[in-house]
């Protein structure tokens, strides 16, 4: 005879325990990293963020050492790492270059029907993003420049909303605070960064794929694919995840996901590409691959960039390693597809990490993709998305 019992408080604590680092050591590390950036960077917005972040993270470390609740510690870290520098930078109208690029792309889209300048000459003239990214600059293009129309606000809001919605219901506040406070995320939230809405949509697409909802997964992944090339690897991972489901729906769900994703990306991207194919190729393909006279400023000292800069034929070697990584990732999806959404997110995180490492032109900021995906997987693995409330089964002998 088997009976069911409601979960005990200990069971609930085990199931909802916050798995991401949040002790004094973690916040001390964040404070040290912020202070180092403030000291060594030559970029004014980054210096302002580093100074404010160091104070906020140091206060969070003290509170964590005193045993204060994780929510209180996270709120203090977000205040110092995001809110304070964001308010200051908005007040003085300073931002990372990407913010200006997105705003200009939106203005060009409204004026010419394409977000790409016809004759770019210097790196600052290029818009190396897909056409959908210009949507975040439309408020400024329509209503004029101001704190409320700044593209970084809309990009940050899109990330926070999509990432929160991708988290398990009722288990969102602490993971969202941790991710927002993490330096790799807090920095672009404050100074501006185009990668945040992309990775937020990827998490949401994988969450829907994990639920077997192919159409919804395709919609979110299609929106991400219309923003930046880095979102496209998420589509085959989501298809592999859907293919691992039960035979009754996996084929239809996979086809629906692929169709909706490609249709969404094409609807948002093809009109601008059709309007000026030459400009589209120069901005979105040639410039990121280093095939133009203007050289991208993305030059963080990661393996691909070091090979391309210091080794004869290093660019070709880096691209070869990039291709080999992509091939291995594809084979892994075919041989052993991910069985659950957290597995898919980790597989995608590893693939993107290898791609970032071997790209000839790359930045440390791109690491926000694998970081957010891995953090999301860690949270969801603790409590699966949309999982029913578990009950504890107690077996009793019958007489």
């Amino acid at each position: 005879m088997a009976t069911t019992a409601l979960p005990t408080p200990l069971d609930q604590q085990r199931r909802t325990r916050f798995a991401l680092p949040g002790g004094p050591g973690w916040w001390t590390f964040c404070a040290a990293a912020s202070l180092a950036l403030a000291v060594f960077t030559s970029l004014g917005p980054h210096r302002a963020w580093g100074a404010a972040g160091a104070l906020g993270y140091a206060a969070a470390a003290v509170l964590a050492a005193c045993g204060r609740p994780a929510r209180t510690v996270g709120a203090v870290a977000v205040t110092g790492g995001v809110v304070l520098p964001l308010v200051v930078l908005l007040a003085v109208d300073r931002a990372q270059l990407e913010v200006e690029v997105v705003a200009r792309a939106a203005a060009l889209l409204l004026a010419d029907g394409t977000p790409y300048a016809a004759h770019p000459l210097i790196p600052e003239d290029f818009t190396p993003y897909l056409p959908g990214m210009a949507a975040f600059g439309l408020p400024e293009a329509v209503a004029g420049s101001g704190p409320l129309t700044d593209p970084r606000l809309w990009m940050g809001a899109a990330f926070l909303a999509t990432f929160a919605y991708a988290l398990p219901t009722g288990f969102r506040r602490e993971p969202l605070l941790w991710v927002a406070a993490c330096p790799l995320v807090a920095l672009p939230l404050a100074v501006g960064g185009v990668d945040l809405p992309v990775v937020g949509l990827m998490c949401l697409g994988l969450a829907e794929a994990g639920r077997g909802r192919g159409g919804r997964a395709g919609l979110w992944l299609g929106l991400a694919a219309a923003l930046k090339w880095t979102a496209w690897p998420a589509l085959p991972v989501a298809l592999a995840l859907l293919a691992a489901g039960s035979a009754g729906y996996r084929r239809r769900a996979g086809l629906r996901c692929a169709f909706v994703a490609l249709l969404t990306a094409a609807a948002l991207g093809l009109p601008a590409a059709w309007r000026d194919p030459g400009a589209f190729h120069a901005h979105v393909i040639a410039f990121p691959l280093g095939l133009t006279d203007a050289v991208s400023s993305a030059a963080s000292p990661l393996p691909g960039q070091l090979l391309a800069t210091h080794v004869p034929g290093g660019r070709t070697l880096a691209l070869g390693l990039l291709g080999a990584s992509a091939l291995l990732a594809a084979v892994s999806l075919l041989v052993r597809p991910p069985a659950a959404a957290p597995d898919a997110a980790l597989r995608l995180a590893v693939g993107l990490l290898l791609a970032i490492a071997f790209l000839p032109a790359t930045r440390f900021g791109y690491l926000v993709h694998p970081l957010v995906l891995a953090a999301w997987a860690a949270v969801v693995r603790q409590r699966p998305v949309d999982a029913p409330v578990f009950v504890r089964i107690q077996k009793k002998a019958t007489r």
Side-chain angles (χ1 to χ4, degrees):
M1 176 178 177
T3 61
T4 61
L6 292 176
T8 66
L10 180 59
D11 294 333
Q12 293 175 336
Q13 183 180 4
R14 287 172 179 170
R15 192 173 64 246
T16 60
R17 182 174 55 85
F18 195 49
L20 299 173
W26 165 251
W27 298 118
T28 301
F29 168 77
C30 293
S34 303
L35 185 60
L37 181 65
V39 171
F40 294 108
T41 185
S42 60
L43 301 175
H46 291 67
R47 189 181 300 113
W49 175 85
L55 293 175
Y57 294 135
V62 172
L63 292 176
C66 294
R68 294 301 177 89
R71 291 181 180 180
T72 302
V73 175
V76 170
V78 169
T79 301
V82 180
V83 178
L84 179 59
L86 177 60
V87 170
V88 171
L89 291 172
L90 286 173
V92 299
D93 195 22
R94 296 291 303 277
Q96 195 164 246
L97 177 62
E98 283 86 339
V99 175
E100 179 183 341
V101 171
V102 171
R104 184 186 65 228
L108 287 172
L109 180 64
L110 293 181
D112 304 328
T114 175
Y116 306 111
H119 303 290
L121 299 176
I122 59 176
E124 289 75 13
D125 294 337
F126 285 88
T127 304
Y129 318 124
L130 293 172
M133 192 67 73
F136 296 107
L138 289 177
E140 181 171 318
V142 172
S145 178
L148 297 181
T149 60
D150 193 289
R152 86 188 93 173
L153 289 182
W154 298 95
M155 291 187 289
F159 165 71
L160 294 175
T162 52
F163 185 78
Y165 189 65
L167 291 169
T169 303
F171 193 50
R172 291 172 174 165
R173 185 176 299 178
E174 287 184 22
L176 188 61
L177 280 175
W178 187 92
V179 168
C182 183
L184 272 177
V185 176
L187 175 62
L189 280 175
V191 306
V194 296
D195 295 296
L196 291 179
V198 178
V199 71
L201 287 167
M202 287 196 291
C203 289
L204 187 51
L206 292 178
E208 297 291 3
R211 300 177 181 122
R213 300 169 181 170
R216 293 186 183 183
L219 174 62
W220 299 121
L221 293 177
L223 290 174
L227 300 180
K228 205 174 179 188
W229 288 121
T230 49
W232 283 83
L235 183 56
V237 174
L239 294 178
L241 175 60
L242 289 167
S246 61
Y249 71 83
R250 62 186 181 185
R251 180 178 178 86
R252 292 191 301 272
L255 290 175
R256 189 159 51 245
C257 177
F259 175 76
V260 173
L262 294 176
L263 181 64
T264 303
L268 294 175
L270 283 182
W274 189 271
R275 178 78 174 178
D276 192 340
F280 179 85
H281 177 270
H283 285 260
V284 178
I285 299 176
F287 179 69
L289 292 178
L291 303 178
T292 60
D293 293 334
V295 179
S296 173
S297 59
S300 295
L302 293 170
Q305 198 275 335
L306 294 176
L307 286 173
T309 305
H310 302 290
V311 177
R315 179 176 294 276
T316 302
L317 178 58
L319 292 176
L321 291 171
L322 181 63
S325 300
L327 180 61
L328 289 175
V331 170
S332 74
L333 292 176
L334 293 173
V335 174
R336 190 176 180 181
D343 300 325
L346 289 176
R347 194 80 61 90
L348 180 58
V350 171
L352 290 175
L353 184 62
L354 291 174
I356 294 166
F358 294 131
L359 278 170
T362 186
R363 284 180 177 153
F364 286 120
Y366 298 161
L367 295 173
V368 71
H369 289 279
L371 168 75
V372 172
L373 287 165
W376 180 79
V379 173
V380 175
R381 195 182 294 278
Q382 289 290 310
R383 187 174 182 181
V385 180
D386 282 357
V389 176
F390 290 103
V391 296
R392 188 158 44 88
I393 305 298
Q394 294 178 333
K395 292 187 177 293
K396 294 182 178 180
T398 60
R399 296 184 180 180

